[in-house]
Amino acid sequence: MPKPVTIRDVRVILTQPGKSRLCIVKVITSEPGLHGLGCATFTQRIFAVATAIERHLKPFLLGRDVDRIEEIWNMSMMHGYWRNGPVLNNAISGVDQALWDIKGKRAGMSVCDLLGGKSREAANVYVHADGRDKQEVADRARAFMEQGYRFVRVQMGGYGGSGSPLVKPKNAPPGAYYDPRDYCRRMLDMIAYLREQLGDEIELLHDIHERLAPIHAVEFAKDVEQFKLFFLEDALAPEDIHWFRTIRAQCATPLAMGELFNNPHEWQLLIQERLIDFIRMHISQMGGITPARNVAIFADMYGLRTAWHGPSDTSPVGHAANLQLDLWHPNFGVQEWYRPSALDYEIFPGLPVVEDGYLYANDQPGLGIDIDEQLAAKYPCQDIVEDWTQARLPDGSPARP
């Protein structure tokens, strides 16, 4: 028997070419020149993930056979004893994606082909149109339509909206304040305006971002039903998923959920009871391609579609992984797309490209993407404390972001 190819080194590459801090894992093998890349980006806790990889996973993985992806994923998850948390899941994901990348390179096949082959040639994507008022949102959405995009997520004033001036208590602490009730009124008015201005041809999406109390999320989902959204995203927080039964019983607004999920118990109920229409987990947050493949197959049995999380704090390597799953899975819905910068394309050669609203992969094996480490090193991760996740209600109470 030929000698197995083993893991010789596991390296963490941290870089910040834009707003988001990115964590890339590079698995180097015993075969000269053969390596794989994976995304382990949890931008708000980036250094915790890097430490988990360097101090815990790397010593555990050195010398293991790169072909044994299933065993490595399961043993990595169980080896820490406590499991299904975002730091460890992202660390495991970086290695898992890199191993799939390596397997594809060894086979001379894309990850999509390893999974079973293409169901489509390219993936529909949606982009984000935000603005200070409804006219600005409409103008940006129209500009995207002129570029060939057929799916646009519409927001106004960021998550939670920035609408009427807030009356805060004396000595109110700093934070990202918003008024949930004002948000509901203004977003419904904005979406109604967009439907009138843009017509029915464009698919509109909207993200509540878990900013509403469950009963108000039910009310909003009912009120927005008339405007025929492609989907309403994150209507509820993971802690409130049982409320999806109430939403489903009262309206037919399509629902998408999952970017904050870490634990299988968070998505199993929603899939089995068909309480949502789109699963949109963050691939690195759930542990990589291996669990995402399993969940996609599980969701397909119940008629749910995929819409994997794909903002700017999914690294370009993560976007390449998303696309491989999109091209393969028969019940794909739509893919979130962050519109990479020219610098992103320089640092990450092979990053997928969009044409006429479709995201295309290249013909390279594995994930089809690489990294210019010297260029990435010119953009080190900054020590920052995020503002937008310090959400507060008008009286200063901490709120979900």
Side-chain angles (χ1 to χ4, degrees), residues 7-14 23-29 33-40 53 58 62 94-95 97-99 101-102 105 317 370-374:
I7 297 174
R8 184 168 61 83
D9 196 9
V10 179
R11 296 184 48 226
V12 176
I13 304 167
L14 300 180
C23 182
I24 309 301
V25 174
K26 185 173 185 177
V27 173
I28 299 168
T29 74
L34 178 62
H35 70 269
L37 297 180
C39 177
I53 296 165
K58 177 179 174 178
L62 292 180
V95 173
Q97 292 183 34
L99 292 177
D101 191 25
I102 290 166
K105 289 174 179 175
V317 175
D370 211 333
I371 186 169
D372 184 331
E373 293 188 60
Q374 289 186 329

Side-chain angles (χ1 to χ4, degrees), residues 319-348:
H319 282 278
N322 283 346
L323 180 57
Q324 293 296 320
L325 290 163
D326 297 339
L327 297 179
W328 153 71
H329 190 238
N331 230 25
F332 165 73
V334 70
Q335 177 61 58
E336 182 176 15
W337 183 240
Y338 77 120
R339 297 184 300 124
S341 67
L343 179 58
D344 288 337
Y345 279 101
E346 269 193 271
I347 295 176
F348 295 94

Side-chain angles (χ1 to χ4, degrees), residues 53 57 73 76-77 87-97 287-288:
I53 296 165
L57 275 185
W73 188 90
S76 296
M77 183 65 72
V87 172
L88 181 60
N89 280 9
N90 273 277
I92 290 172
S93 169
V95 173
D96 182 75
Q97 292 183 34

Side-chain angles (χ1 to χ4, degrees), residues 3 9 18 56 86 129 156 158 210 256 297-298 311 324 337:
K3 188 176 180 180
D9 196 9
H56 299 293
M156 188 169 66
E210 57 175 321
I297 293 170
F298 177 51
Q324 293 296 320
W337 183 240

Side-chain angles (χ1 to χ4, degrees), residues 168-365:
K168 303 177 187 177
K170 294 178 181 179
N171 302 317
Y177 282 77
Y178 72 99
D179 183 338
R181 301 303 287 152
D182 181 64
Y183 159 83
C184 289
R185 292 187 290 269
R186 296 178 70 250
M187 294 309 120
L188 288 168
D189 178 65
M190 179 266 292
I191 295 169
Y193 177 78
L194 294 182
R195 265 292 172 239
E196 180 183 345
Q197 294 294 312
L198 304 178
D200 295 326
E201 295 297 314
I202 186 70
E203 296 286 3
L204 299 179
L205 306 82
H206 180 71
D207 184 3
I208 291 178
H209 221 261
E210 57 175 321
R211 297 271 177 148
L212 299 178
I215 193 63
H216 294 147
V218 176
E219 180 182 46
F220 188 92
K222 290 172 62 179
D223 289 343
V224 82
E225 181 180 13
Q226 61 187 305
F227 304 120
K228 306 297 182 184
L229 293 180
F230 186 74
F231 65 59
L232 181 64
E233 179 182 339
D234 284 359
L236 300 166
E239 297 87 348
D240 296 323
I241 58 174
H242 288 83
W243 276 84
F244 275 114
R245 292 185 177 121
T246 306
I247 297 179
R248 190 58 115 198
Q250 298 198 34
C251 71
T253 298
L255 302 169
M257 184 68 184
E259 71 186 62
L260 285 174
F261 288 169
N262 299 293
N263 191 306
H265 288 295
E266 293 171 312
W267 58 72
Q268 286 172 354
L269 170 75
L270 299 181
I271 293 172
Q272 287 177 314
E273 295 192 16
R274 296 181 173 91
L275 297 178
I276 59 173
D277 303 278
F278 297 87
I279 56 168
R280 47 175 286 97
M281 278 75 91
H282 190 96
I283 299 298
S284 65
Q285 184 86 343
M286 68 188 301
I289 291 172
T290 296
R293 172 204 59 189
N294 295 343
V295 173
I297 293 170
F298 177 51
D300 189 33
M301 295 171 61
Y302 292 88
L304 274 68
R305 289 184 279 177
T306 61
W308 305 116
H309 193 223
S312 62
D313 53 356
T314 293
S315 77
V317 175
H319 282 278
N322 283 346
L323 180 57
Q324 293 296 320
L325 290 163
D326 297 339
L327 297 179
W328 153 71
H329 190 238
N331 230 25
F332 165 73
V334 70
Q335 177 61 58
E336 182 176 15
W337 183 240
Y338 77 120
R339 297 184 300 124
S341 67
L343 179 58
D344 288 337
Y345 279 101
E346 269 193 271
I347 295 176
F348 295 94
L351 178 57
V353 297
V354 167
E355 185 177 337
D356 293 328
Y358 284 111
L359 187 62
Y360 288 88
N362 54 45
D363 58 0
Q364 298 301 305

Side-chain angles (χ1 to χ4, degrees), residues 103-142:
K103 188 175 285 286
K105 289 174 179 175
R106 295 190 71 201
M109 300 167 66
S110 69
V111 169
C112 170
D113 283 335
L114 291 176
L115 292 169
K118 287 183 179 179
S119 292
R120 59 196 55 81
E121 294 302 316
N124 266 312
V125 296
Y126 73 85
V127 289
H128 303 169
D130 203 335
R132 292 164 294 184
D133 55 43
K134 60 187 179 183
Q135 181 60 58
E136 194 168 271
V137 178
D139 290 344
R140 290 180 178 172
R142 192 174 288 109

